[in-house]
Amino acid sequence: MPSTTASRDYSSADPLHIHIENSRAMMPVFTVHTDQYEAALGRHPDVAARIRTTWGHDQDIYHDAMETADAMITYRFPHKTLRDDGKRLKLLQVLGAGVDYLLPLDWVPSGLQVLTNSGAHLPKAAQSGLMALLMLNARMPALMWNHRRHAWDRQFTSALNGKTVLIVGVGAIGGGIATLAKQFGMHVMGIRRSGAPHESVDSMHLPGALRDLLPQADFVLLNTALTEETRFLIGAEEIARMRDGAGLINMSRGGLIDPAALDSALRTGKLGGAMIDVTYPEPPPADWPYWETPNLVITPHVLSDDIEHYIPHTLDIFFNNIRRHFHGEPLTNLVDLARSY
């Protein structure tokens, strides 16, 4: 939801202070590197002229920086004490498209606007969604399972065109997947809270239509936020309504699917295959019972994040919002605290 922020006359003499809080424990894709940041400043020289930046790792200068910071870019930070730590903080850019790992959001101070990097995952995430559709259509999870069992079980399939995919969560990534699915001749149904149409979605629906739409889809692809309302969105009852032999894809958050229900559906053949890039819990322990679920492909939450462009795209989103902040214009990628995403 867009929001308008109050403008202050930031200048080189009185710059907006941005603090970057990195964690050495995080993977490189979730770390802002100096060369990436300097390149972004070069792409946004008008913003660069009106800011100053401090860099911290694992809270080494965190408390000193928070004395004057107006904005922060981070993934991992002591959010529960932010109300006291960051009294001047106006903008918080998290290095992710979701904030479920920060729930509940009761720690957000009044006047602080929390921003996600929704959109930074394109086009990698959209291509991964198409890959998952192609793999499920080719029965690749079943073929890979048979390979592990040393079973020569030939399974022939038809092309993807003409089949129906239900995309639950038509945001930036879901919309990108819809566009590629249409290019492959698929019929696309979509669900999103606003119900607003999308040029690549043949029919858009509100969340309440999920149970009625499930029997119509050859593939169900989840790409929606994890909230208390969407936890275990797909359980035994929902799977029972899906077509026999349908495919299920989860590229968003592991808590959207009841893993026990998915395991049962794959073992009984109710579902033809599934691909999940996220798990519940995440990461799963070594003795997680669903490592050996048949006809299931598990990838370790890597399909959406582009190692080369994820941070540059995020910085462009952030600096565009800083520019809007300077001009008192509505921001993008703003977390709706009431909806928790």
Side-chain angles (χ1 to χ4, degrees):
M1 180 182 298
S3 175
T4 302
T5 62
S7 177
R8 180 179 120 204
D9 187 20
Y10 298 96
S11 64
S12 57
D14 183 24
L16 179 142
H17 176 191
I18 298 172
H19 178 64
I20 298 173
E21 181 64 23
N22 282 324
S23 170
R24 293 184 177 89
M26 298 299 295
M27 293 176 291
V29 73
F30 298 114
T31 301
V32 180
H33 300 279
T34 54
D35 58 337
Q36 297 170 324
Y37 193 77
E38 291 170 0
L41 292 177
R43 295 192 297 273
H44 302 271
D46 58 321
V47 173
R50 302 171 66 182
I51 66 173
R52 73 179 182 93
T53 306
T54 54
W55 294 76
H57 290 83
D58 302 318
Q59 302 174 44
D60 53 355
I61 65 165
Y62 176 78
H63 292 287
D64 288 340
M66 285 298 100
E67 292 292 327
T68 58
D70 300 292
M72 178 166 62
I73 306 173
T74 187
Y75 186 92
R76 182 174 293 171
F77 63 102
H79 61 279
K80 292 184 178 179
T81 60
L82 190 63
R83 195 182 304 274
D84 295 324
D85 297 339
K87 295 186 183 301
R88 285 186 43 168
L89 209 61
K90 300 292 189 297
L91 300 172
L92 172 62
Q93 175 69 64
V94 297
L95 296 174
V99 292
D100 52 283
Y101 73 104
L102 297 171
L103 295 179
L105 299 178
D106 53 3
W107 54 267
V108 178
S110 175
L112 175 64
Q113 299 187 94
V114 182
L115 310 169
T116 71
N117 68 355
S118 177
H121 301 76
L122 295 174
K124 169 73 181 296
Q127 293 174 5
S128 294
L130 176 64
M131 175 190 69
L133 287 169
L134 288 166
M135 288 182 67
L136 285 183
N137 186 64
R139 299 298 305 274
M140 193 59 66
L143 296 175
M144 293 170 65
W145 178 253
N146 287 331
H147 176 190
R148 292 170 59 186
R149 296 189 304 130
H150 302 180
W152 186 262
D153 181 11
R154 304 174 74 192
Q155 300 186 31
F156 297 95
T157 59
S158 60
L160 198 62
N161 53 288
K163 297 186 179 179
T164 297
V165 58
L166 170 61
I167 301 176
V168 183
V170 186
I173 295 174
I177 296 170
T179 298
L180 295 181
K182 287 302 293 181
Q183 292 175 7
F184 275 70
M186 298 192 74
H187 176 76
V188 180
M189 301 186 299
I191 290 178
R192 62 178 170 188
R193 184 178 291 273
S194 69
H198 185 283
E199 61 182 3
S200 296
V201 176
D202 296 295
S203 60
M204 188 71 74
H205 306 267
L206 296 174
L210 174 64
R211 289 172 62 85
D212 291 333
L213 297 175
L214 288 172
Q216 304 177 41
D218 297 296
F219 308 98
V220 176
L221 188 151
L222 305 181
N223 203 84
T224 192
L226 177 62
T227 67
E228 288 307 313
E229 294 180 357
T230 61
R231 190 174 302 277
F232 285 4
L233 183 68
I234 301 295
E237 292 183 8
E238 289 74 24
I239 291 175
R241 296 184 64 83
M242 294 174 64
R243 289 181 177 176
D244 291 345
L248 181 60
I249 301 164
N250 187 6
M251 293 181 57
S252 189
R253 293 294 185 266
L256 296 173
I257 298 178
D258 178 349
L262 178 60
D263 176 80
S264 176
L266 290 169
R267 290 185 184 278
T268 61
K270 168 61 180 177
L271 296 181
M275 289 189 62
I276 57 173
D277 189 45
V278 286
T279 62
Y280 180 83
E282 185 174 318
D287 60 352
W288 195 52
Y290 310 113
W291 285 114
E292 298 302 323
T293 298
N295 303 340
L296 173 65
V297 171
I298 304 169
T299 52
H301 207 154
V302 295
L303 295 186
S304 295
D305 302 324
D306 185 326
I307 187 64
E308 293 185 13
H309 301 110
Y310 182 78
I311 291 298
H313 288 171
T314 299
L315 292 174
D316 285 337
I317 291 169
F318 176 68
F319 284 134
N320 283 330
N321 267 327
I322 291 294
R323 183 179 295 107
R324 293 185 177 96
H325 177 73
F326 287 156
H327 297 154
E329 297 173 352
L331 305 184
T332 66
N333 294 61
L334 185 63
V335 173
D336 185 331
L337 298 182
R339 293 180 174 174
S340 300
Y341 68 90

